[in-house]
Amino acid sequence: MKNTFKVKSEGRDILKTLNVVTGRMLDVNMASAHIARHPDTFNVNRIAKQLHPKSLKLRIKKVDVFSEDVKSYILTSAEGRMLPYFKAGQYLTVELKVGSSVLTRPYSLSSSPRDSLSGEYRITVKRVPAGFASGHILDNWQAGDIITAYPPEGTFGYEPLRDAKTVVGVAGGSGITPFISMAEDIASGDSDFNLILLYGARNTREILFKKELDALADKCDKFKVCYVLSDSTSKKYETGFIGADLIKKYAPADEAYSIFVCGPGPMYKFLQSELPKLGLENKYIRFEMSSGRRDLAIEPGYPKDMLEKTFSLTVIDRGSKYETECNSSDSILCALEKAGIAVQARCRSGECGFCRSKIVSGEYFIPQGVDKRRIADARFGYVHPCCAYPLSDIVIKIN
Ligand code: FES
């Protein structure tokens, strides 16, 4: 009896579905081909556009100078619009025109997400020796200038479902920026986790935002900061490099914790050999990858006889063909930018996929940990030029 009922009931459901589908097809066929309302007239679309614009025109409201080599820029909308909200730890990508080159650079937001609601972002830029973009920004950007940027993005933030309730933050130099944003977010009650920050600098003069960090630690017991000096000693601070022993000293002894790292390349290299000593699960270790230039000489698996070579780079861009060169120590994206060929790019660390392009021919090297391509992309020769380095002459098709 039961089975008969089930078959009858399922048969009725199928008939009902067929009737609905047929009815809808009739409605579609009889509908006018004209658009009844332009998509922009729907409120939901207008709000979505405002919250997720393709690009932003920002005015530099103020420049805070730490030194000739480190400055903070307070940015507001140049069009009087709301700024997209962001998650503490995310970055803002700015667009630069340097000579004939158009390039983009991601900078972690060093302000609180709440500040975006009152119309302000803050980024902090430190000069990178031999860097292409940081020097241009530090030497040229003035209060009142208008810049182009792309809305905040990035995954270097706290995720309650993945991360432990306590995070040990390891910051080096200007890698402090995403952690200030996180500390502000915790202090204002918008994020609920404990942050123990170990902040490495060469000496006390190189500690950025010290007043701000100390004030946040004073007012919020979920945030603690410890300064670690590598090139000088002080009774008030730890000395040396931030490694497994120092992390163990400050991390909770009897509960799980996550480690977030943001700093220069040599710090990453050192921590990659130190962190396994802590015996943490992989999911509890996060590196912010969008900072810094790579030193291929210390990259595992890189063929050292390829250093200091120059290869030809042939670029196919929607039917046009360009010939240029690529130094082996530059990513293919850098070479394209230096040649004045504009490529969509945001994270510069293989994560966002904006720069995805096809290698038509040639050999390349992708450093460990940044190959985030889909399996099919890797199989069919697509790369993220931001983290692909030439090992031979290259022909590439960009989008
Ligand atoms: S810029 Fe994000 S993957 Fe290349």
Side-chain angles (χ1 to χ4, degrees):
M1 257 322 264
K2 264 184 193 169
N3 283 345
T4 314
F5 174 74
K6 197 176 163 204
V7 169
K8 275 187 182 168
S9 154
E10 281 178 358
R12 272 201 305 271
D13 286 349
I14 290 167
L15 277 176
K16 266 189 198 166
T17 309
L18 284 176
N19 284 340
V20 170
V21 171
T22 313
R24 280 194 188 150
M25 288 305 292
L26 280 173
D27 288 346
V28 168
N29 289 336
M30 285 164 57
S32 160
H34 296 287
I35 297 171
R37 279 175 71 181
H38 190 277
D40 283 355
T41 62
F42 290 96
N43 267 345
V44 67
N45 290 346
R46 280 206 297 261
I47 292 168
K49 257 192 176 173
Q50 185 128 30
L51 292 176
H52 306 285
K54 284 202 174 104
S55 65
L56 304 164
K57 288 276 173 241
L58 300 175
R59 175 175 285 107
I60 301 172
K61 182 177 169 188
K62 191 167 165 261
V63 183
D64 288 334
V65 180
F66 292 94
S67 70
E68 276 308 294
D69 293 332
V70 189
K71 296 177 186 172
S72 278
Y73 298 90
I74 317 292
L75 309 167
T76 60
S77 170
E79 302 156 307
R81 305 171 71 148
M82 275 167 62
L83 292 180
Y85 191 67
F86 69 95
K87 200 171 163 186
Q90 288 192 309
Y91 59 82
L92 187 76
T93 301
V94 299
E95 189 176 280
L96 304 166
K97 286 196 175 69
V98 185
S100 58
S101 305
V102 178
L103 44 140
T104 54
R105 286 292 182 277
Y107 287 101
S108 293
L109 285 146
S110 57
S111 47
S112 146
R114 275 198 188 196
D115 292 341
S116 62
L117 297 178
S118 42
E120 283 186 3
Y121 289 147
R122 178 178 67 181
I123 58 169
T124 304
V125 179
K126 183 173 183 184
R127 197 180 298 272
V128 178
F132 201 44
S134 58
H136 174 84
I137 293 176
L138 290 162
D139 298 337
N140 292 284
W141 279 15
Q142 309 273 353
D145 288 354
I146 293 177
I147 60 159
T148 300
Y150 297 94
E153 290 190 45
T155 56
F156 189 69
Y158 183 73
E159 278 299 337
L161 287 178
R162 176 200 54 210
D163 302 320
K165 189 76 179 171
T166 295
V167 171
V168 176
V170 180
S174 60
I176 188 63
T177 47
F179 293 113
I180 297 193
S181 189
M182 289 180 206
E184 297 260 15
D185 214 36
I186 295 169
S188 59
D190 294 336
S191 272
D192 184 18
F193 65 100
N194 306 307
L195 177 60
I196 300 166
L197 181 63
L198 304 176
Y199 179 15
R202 279 192 291 202
N203 51 52
T204 49
R205 285 187 310 283
E206 292 201 358
I207 297 174
L208 305 175
F209 300 107
K210 182 164 186 311
K211 261 192 195 163
E212 227 171 285
L213 290 166
D214 289 344
L216 282 165
D218 282 347
K219 85 169 183 191
C220 174
D221 52 11
K222 288 184 173 176
F223 172 62
K224 293 184 178 38
V225 58
C226 163
Y227 304 101
V228 185
L229 306 179
S230 62
D231 290 7
S232 61
T233 52
S234 159
K235 280 191 184 137
K236 289 199 299 188
Y237 308 126
E238 294 283 357
T239 50
F241 293 108
I242 303 170
D245 289 342
L246 203 63
I247 293 172
K248 266 189 209 153
K249 182 173 169 184
Y250 286 89
D254 46 7
E255 63 177 87
Y257 59 91
S258 291
I259 296 189
F260 288 9
V261 184
C262 184
M267 175 185 245
Y268 286 16
K269 181 89 190 126
F270 179 64
L271 283 169
Q272 265 156 7
S273 58
E274 286 291 295
L275 296 186
K277 298 177 192 167
L278 298 169
L280 298 175
E281 278 181 62
N282 273 350
K283 68 169 182 170
Y284 288 135
I285 299 177
R286 316 276 318 286
F287 284 86
E288 169 55 299
M289 298 308 291
S290 65
S291 55
R293 184 183 163 86
R294 275 179 188 278
D295 181 358
L296 293 176
I298 56 169
E299 222 31 87
Y302 184 77
K304 303 292 180 283
D305 58 335
M306 284 292 160
L307 289 168
E308 306 300 327
K309 287 203 184 314
T310 302
F311 299 109
S312 75
L313 181 60
T314 306
V315 185
I316 303 164
D317 180 10
R318 281 159 289 221
S320 304
K321 206 173 189 182
Y322 308 95
E323 296 291 341
T324 183
E325 289 186 335
C326 187
N327 192 298
S328 58
S329 58
D330 278 342
S331 68
I332 296 174
L333 177 63
C334 270
L336 293 166
E337 290 174 336
K338 282 183 181 173
I341 300 166
V343 185
Q344 289 253 28
R346 301 282 190 276
C347 69
R348 305 183 79 85
S349 58
E351 195 173 64
C352 72
F354 268 92
C355 66
R356 177 180 175 269
S357 305
K358 183 168 170 67
I359 297 288
V360 179
S361 66
E363 301 293 316
Y364 50 87
F365 171 78
I366 300 177
Q368 269 180 18
V370 293
D371 193 355
K372 312 252 172 76
R373 293 174 296 171
R374 292 176 296 190
I375 293 170
D377 274 0
R379 187 158 166 213
F380 292 106
Y382 285 89
V383 296
H384 296 151
C386 60
C387 46
Y389 296 80
L391 296 174
S392 71
D393 294 340
I394 295 277
V395 179
I396 188 169
K397 194 172 172 190
I398 60 173
N399 297 313

